[in-house]
Each structure stands twice: as structure tokens, then as C-alpha cells.
């Protein structure tokens, strides 16, 4: 079994461990966040929630708990709800108990200089749209369960969380996990 690693600094938050997703849990402050970003995590639903909305992860402005850069919830009707302040919300239906989901929410410029907001679940692009109103924020808070919503902690587990403000390359993340960066 591999050791649990946490890399936390002003410019990145990553862990390959199972994390505590409790109401209002600030995992990290990140600076110079956006308009490009990369968020990835694994989630497993262990039981049906009693609350309607169960917060998994939210990246917000430090003075605005409603800004979403992005935010993800699990609804009691068995769907993930994705929200980013600058784009429309998206629901992913048919979420199953005891199934692991690898979720990526990425916002990166393409070769046409369009800012593309994408949601990828288990290596399948489920949504990809152009963000025509991009924003950047000086200080972002990474919440593992938003302070105003029910916590996901009693419903499931979250692990392998990565939050990177700005452009990224998957190869760099892989090298960092091998302590080569």
C-alpha cells in the first residue's frame, strides 16, 4: 500500500489520501486563481443521503461563499450537481451506490483562445462549453464541504483531490507524485 501524500502550498492542493469532507472544512487557500483551473477527485457514494443537497467540494472567493470556481454537490435524488460562477450548472444523473467516480472539472484555453469549461467523469467528457465571462480571484478557499450546506461525509468518501489554479499538464502531476518535480 502506498503512503498517503499531501502537497499543500500557495499554488496547489493535492492529496492521494481519503479526505475528511466536513461542513466548512477549509483544506487550502490558493492565490491567483483562474481563469484557468483544474480540479480532480475521486468520490464513492456509500449510502443514500437524508439531506437534499450534500456538499462535496467548493472553491470560492474568500469573501464570497456563493462564488463557485467550481462547486460540486450530491443530491438525494442520486445526481451530481456541478456549478461554476461563470457558466450554467450541470447535473449528472444515475449515480450508483458503491461505485467510484473520478471527476475532473477543468477550465483551460484552447488553441482558438476560447476558455473551455469541461466536466469529465470516469474519462468521459460529459460537458464542454465556452466560458465567455471568465474571472480570476486573488485568494480562493478550497472547501471540502461548503459551510452553508450539509456535509457529504456521512454519505460517502472523497479521495485523491487535486486543485490547481491556472494551466496544468497531467505529466507534471504524475512526476510530482513520484517526487520528481
Amino acid at each position: 500500500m502506498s503512503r498517503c501524500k499531501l502537497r499543500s502550498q500557495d499554488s496547489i492542493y493535492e492529496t492521494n489520501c481519503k479526505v475528511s469532507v466536513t461542513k466548512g472544512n477549509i483544506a487550502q487557500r490558493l492565490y491567483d486563481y483562474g481563469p484557468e483551473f483544474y480540479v480532480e477527485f475521486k468520490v464513492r457514494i456509500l449510502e443514500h443521503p437524508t439531506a437534499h443537497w450534500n456538499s462535496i467540494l467548493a472553491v470560492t472567493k474568500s469573501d464570497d461563499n456563493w462564488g463557485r470556481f467550481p462547486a460540486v454537490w450530491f443530491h438525494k435524488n442520486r445526481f451530481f450537481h456541478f456549478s461554476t460562477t461563470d457558466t450554467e450548472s450541470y447535473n449528472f444523473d444515475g449515480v450508483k451506490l458503491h461505485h467510484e467516480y473520478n471527476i475532473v472539472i477543468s477550465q483551460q484555453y484552447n488553441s482558438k483562445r476560447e476558455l473551455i469549461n469541461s466536466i469529465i467523469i470516469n474519462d468521459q467528457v460529459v460537458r464542454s462549453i465556452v466560458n465567455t465571462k471568465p474571472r480570476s480571484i486573488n485568494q480562493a478557499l478550497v472547501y471540502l464541504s461548503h459551510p452553508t450546506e450539509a456535509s457529504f461525509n456521512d454519505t460517502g468518501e472523497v479521495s485523491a483531490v487535486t486543485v490547481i489554479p491556472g494551466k496544468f499538464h497531467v505529466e507534471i502531476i504524475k512526476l510530482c507524485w513520484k517526487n520528481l518535480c
Side-chain angles (χ1 to χ4, degrees):
M1 180 175 215
S2 64
R3 281 187 42 192
C4 181
K5 294 181 186 178
L6 169 66
R7 284 176 36 103
S8 182
Q9 55 195 38
D10 288 351
S11 60
I12 194 169
Y13 174 80
E14 331 175 63
T15 180
N16 64 347
C17 312
K18 186 173 133 180
V19 296
S20 175
V21 183
T22 55
K23 190 171 185 169
N25 178 8
I26 298 174
Q28 179 67 30
R29 282 180 166 71
L30 297 174
Y31 298 91
D32 300 322
Y33 192 92
E36 293 179 292
F37 61 80
Y38 177 86
V39 175
E40 181 174 10
F41 60 94
K42 292 179 181 176
V43 62
R44 181 183 304 270
I45 312 303
L46 300 177
E47 61 184 66
H48 299 293
T50 55
H52 279 78
W53 295 101
N54 299 269
S55 175
I56 298 172
L57 178 140
V59 180
T60 70
K61 284 175 41 176
S62 61
D63 60 350
D64 176 13
N65 285 333
W66 294 106
R68 298 163 180 158
F69 300 94
V72 182
W73 293 265
F74 179 62
H75 192 271
K76 72 182 282 181
N77 291 342
R78 298 187 196 142
F79 65 84
F80 291 122
H81 177 76
F82 298 87
S83 180
T84 300
T85 298
D86 305 325
T87 61
E88 298 172 15
S89 296
Y90 174 78
N91 292 335
F92 179 79
D93 295 317
V95 176
K96 299 173 185 166
L97 283 177
H98 306 290
H99 181 81
E100 186 170 87
Y101 294 90
N102 187 68
I103 296 176
V104 174
I105 306 137
S106 177
Q107 189 163 273
Q108 304 289 319
Y109 283 105
N110 66 13
S111 61
K112 299 177 190 175
R113 297 296 301 155
E114 298 169 315
L115 191 59
I116 306 300
N117 182 284
S118 301
I119 299 170
I120 302 162
I121 300 177
N122 294 341
D123 297 323
Q124 299 230 333
V125 176
V126 296
R127 187 185 91 167
S128 186
I129 62 171
V130 176
N131 179 350
T132 59
K133 302 175 193 171
R135 289 195 222 179
S136 296
I137 52 179
N138 291 332
Q139 181 179 322
L141 299 177
V142 178
Y143 281 101
L144 296 174
S145 196
H146 198 275
T148 63
E149 305 288 341
S151 171
F152 181 75
N153 210 42
D154 296 331
T155 301
E157 56 190 30
V158 177
S159 62
V161 179
T162 301
V163 181
I164 302 172
K167 192 165 188 67
F168 82 99
H169 296 284
V170 172
E171 294 78 23
I172 292 171
I173 294 171
K174 288 177 183 173
L175 287 174
C176 288
W177 282 119
K178 295 177 182 176
N179 292 321
L180 297 175
C181 66

